[in-house]
Amino acid sequence: MRPRDLTALEFDHVRNRVADFACSPAGKEACRTLAPSADRLVVERALAAAWQCFRLIEEHGEPPLREFADLRAALRSAAHDGAVLDGSTLVAVRTVLSVAHATRPFLKKHHAAYPLLAELADKLVPLPTLQASLVRALDDDGGVTDDASDELADVRRTQRQLRDKLTRRLDELLARPGLAELISDRYVTIRNNRFVVPIRTAMAGQFDGVVQDRSVSGETTFIEPLFAVELNNRLLIAAKEEEALVRRILADLTALVRTVHVELSQTFTTLVEIDALVARAHFAQRYHCTQPQLDDHELAIHQARHPLLLFGARTVVPIDLLLPSGKQILVITGPNTGGKTVALKTLGLMALMAQSGLLIPAAEGSRLPCFQAVYTDVGDEQSIERNLSTFSAHVANLTEILERREAPALVLLDEPGVGTDPDDGAALGIGMIRMLEAGGARVALSTHYAPIKVFALSHDTCATAAVEFDLDAMAPCYRLVYHSIGESQALPIARRLGLPASVLEIAEAARSEQAKTLATAVARLEEVRRRYEERLADVEEHVRAAAHAQQEAQHLLEELQAKRRQRWTEELAAARDFVRTVREQGRELLDAVQRGTADRRTLTRWVQQHEATIHEQAAAMAEQPAPSGPPRIGDLVEVSQNGLRGQLLSVEGERAWMQRGSLRFEVPVAQLRRVDSGPKVSVEVHVAAAPEGTAQEISLLGLRAREAVSALEDFLDRAARARYPSVRIIHGIGSGALRRAVEDYLSRSPYCEGFHAGAPAEGGAGVTVAELAGGR
């Protein structure tokens, strides 16, 4: 990848934003130096790791990462014999070990679901001996503690005793009444690392001791009393011993670091990699990114959003970037209002992000190839140093792109051929397209030139798209309309901006016949496209209705089969109970006959009695009692043959029509019987009014699925009491888990009559619109 292409697409802004989510300086640096790879296996692994990290955080919370220092320079120093790291650097080493110790089990805990994260965790080498030694020997500020060695503890104890003894005797000296005239102030201080007392300079000759310093004003002389000389000397010697012991302890700790230098370097490098990976996952969460799939044959990025527009917290219109299998060139046309260039840069950034292991701000299911290179010729360029005009600079850049010939490559051309005669520029653009196509590149370009538009319409490997433009609002809608050619709209825009009509009439007359013919053809194409989209929408609606009807029919069939199985089970159980009872009674009666306690006439009467009972039960099962009177329109009826129930709609001769749910059935009138629906109970429900100011939309962004469903349930209850006909539910795009949870709940909610994904004007795929039951 050429640095100039990364700069033209402003990839640095994306990397810097990712770096903002890292904990450590080294992790931030790793994010800022992310670079696209052309190795498909490397890219797939990086994307899979980012997606696993995204899912881990979403399902199990944040990993125990915290800020840690960059150890690379310190580890290089520690590798040399005789090197001694200072206390603060060794504390930084201890922090890295502590973070690694906490992170390793967190990533290993869910190794089955997130194997790539578990592999990273295995590279965090446990170093318990070094970690325990650093914990015992150093405080948080890098100072060596008394626990580091017994010898150091003894020396420091001696120092404390000497200091206490010295300060006590000096305080006693200052308290003597006879010295009040000599003493400048009653305090003990230190000069030249020795304890002294302040004496008036005028009286210094009357005080026995060693002068160590003098105040700035000269009025005070700091004198070390003679009795304090020996104690100060002993204290100074003890301080030197402490300093030597501290250095020796730091040297020993550095030697421990040196013995595990390789393992510690690996742990640090892996921890930086994890930090950068978690930063990529947090970036994906913040901007609702998903994992794209690599596909050599098709480029299909759905609902793509330009990252830099997202960073500015602006409303971003998602666009679809499509190059189906068999197509190599995407020609984007339309007014010169920025929409075309934004689309080109969005496509380029999606490719760079994906091949750098970054999840992309697009809908699930997006696919794109793994490119060997991404080339751009976007914007106006001049080279004063090389004495090149804008046109010449473009030609020089295009020449370099053609010379490289790396395939597959993605080439983005913004207005190729601009800056010279339109006919020559269009011819140059077509030549570039043909050469890049022959080299196996995929090309996306924007153009106003009519010859390039005609070429795109007549060339099999070209796909066309137009940036939708709202003439009333004088602004691009940014949505790409495929299979369409957009006009520059220069004259209509000029008319809306107030250019005199006389100028516009002359301009219209001056247009070439080719331009007028193309405009007429484009208008016809747009009309055909609109009719096609309307018919397609009707067909899709019928398909959805048919699928819904089929689903209801299947559900009804399963319900009928279940009821029939239940009735058979109940009847079979009753029959078995009856047979068992008859068998037991018959056996008892036969035993009685054999014993002579009953005669055969008793047995005959018992048999006749049970035969009558069997005939009665058979008749009852064959003919269920029906409510009196024939069924009337609107009655609940049942088909005797299969037990199907529904409302009677109409009767014509021997045929009748009944309805169950959204399905209608035609059945013979002879098989219908009216079903008593049971006593009618009137229930009056008084619904409490919703609180004032009840919102008509809810944002679930940042919530877990369970939290979101709970919040949605409360929100729908309030919205239903407010009798809203519909509400907007903002869940974002992200991984799709939150959207699926919302749709699953809405499909079961008694508040909801139906729901659909938001139209572009309603928020697009990141919003679901729910229709409420009983709304005004």
Side-chain angles (χ1 to χ4, degrees), residues 307-368:
L308 271 61
L309 298 180
L310 292 176
F311 301 162
R314 296 171 55 184
T315 300
V316 181
V317 178
I319 59 174
D320 293 332
L321 298 163
L322 309 174
L323 259 180
S325 179
K327 302 287 186 181
Q328 280 185 252
I329 298 99
L330 174 62
V331 178
I332 303 175
T333 59
N336 192 18
T337 53
K340 303 187 298 300
T341 304
V342 169
L344 291 178
K345 288 189 172 183
T346 301
L347 175 56
L349 279 175
M350 295 298 107
L352 293 179
M353 290 175 67
Q355 292 184 220
S356 300
L358 291 169
L359 306 181
I360 63 174
E364 290 182 84
S366 295
R367 300 182 301 282
L368 72 167

Side-chain angles (χ1 to χ4, degrees), residues 444 446 471 516 545:
S446 64
L471 270 176
K516 295 178 181 177

Side-chain angles (χ1 to χ4, degrees), residues 181-343:
E181 294 181 357
L182 302 180
I183 295 172
S184 173
D185 206 344
R186 292 183 178 276
Y187 65 87
V188 176
T189 186
I190 296 175
R191 289 294 186 273
N192 299 326
N193 293 322
R194 304 180 77 84
F195 283 87
V196 295
V197 292
I199 303 297
R200 298 180 197 276
T201 301
M203 310 295 289
Q206 300 179 30
F207 189 88
D208 294 333
V210 180
V211 176
Q212 293 292 347
D213 201 359
R214 200 172 187 181
S215 67
V216 176
S217 65
E219 294 181 358
T220 302
T221 300
F222 299 98
I223 298 177
E224 178 184 10
L226 293 178
F227 73 82
V229 172
E230 181 186 358
L231 292 174
N232 269 323
N233 289 342
R234 290 170 60 189
L235 190 58
L236 185 61
I237 292 171
K240 293 293 184 182
E241 290 178 0
E242 179 195 17
E243 183 180 340
L245 287 171
V246 166
R247 181 172 179 78
R248 191 176 72 190
I249 291 168
L250 293 177
D252 291 342
L253 292 173
T254 304
L256 274 179
V257 171
R258 188 178 305 114
T259 58
V260 292
H261 176 269
V262 174
E263 294 84 351
L264 184 55
S265 297
Q266 176 182 308
T267 294
F268 173 76
T269 301
T270 304
L271 202 57
V272 171
E273 185 177 352
I274 293 171
D275 187 18
L277 179 61
V278 172
R280 285 151 53 195
H282 284 147
F283 173 89
Q285 280 187 318
R286 173 64 179 82
Y287 298 109
H288 310 295
C289 301
T290 61
Q291 179 185 8
Q293 303 301 317
L294 299 185
D295 188 326
D296 293 334
H297 306 290
E298 183 177 11
L299 188 155
I301 306 175
H302 304 287
Q303 301 291 294
R305 291 159 291 139
H306 193 292
L308 271 61
L309 298 180
L310 292 176
F311 301 162
R314 296 171 55 184
T315 300
V316 181
V317 178
I319 59 174
D320 293 332
L321 298 163
L322 309 174
L323 259 180
S325 179
K327 302 287 186 181
Q328 280 185 252
I329 298 99
L330 174 62
V331 178
I332 303 175
T333 59
N336 192 18
T337 53
K340 303 187 298 300
T341 304
V342 169

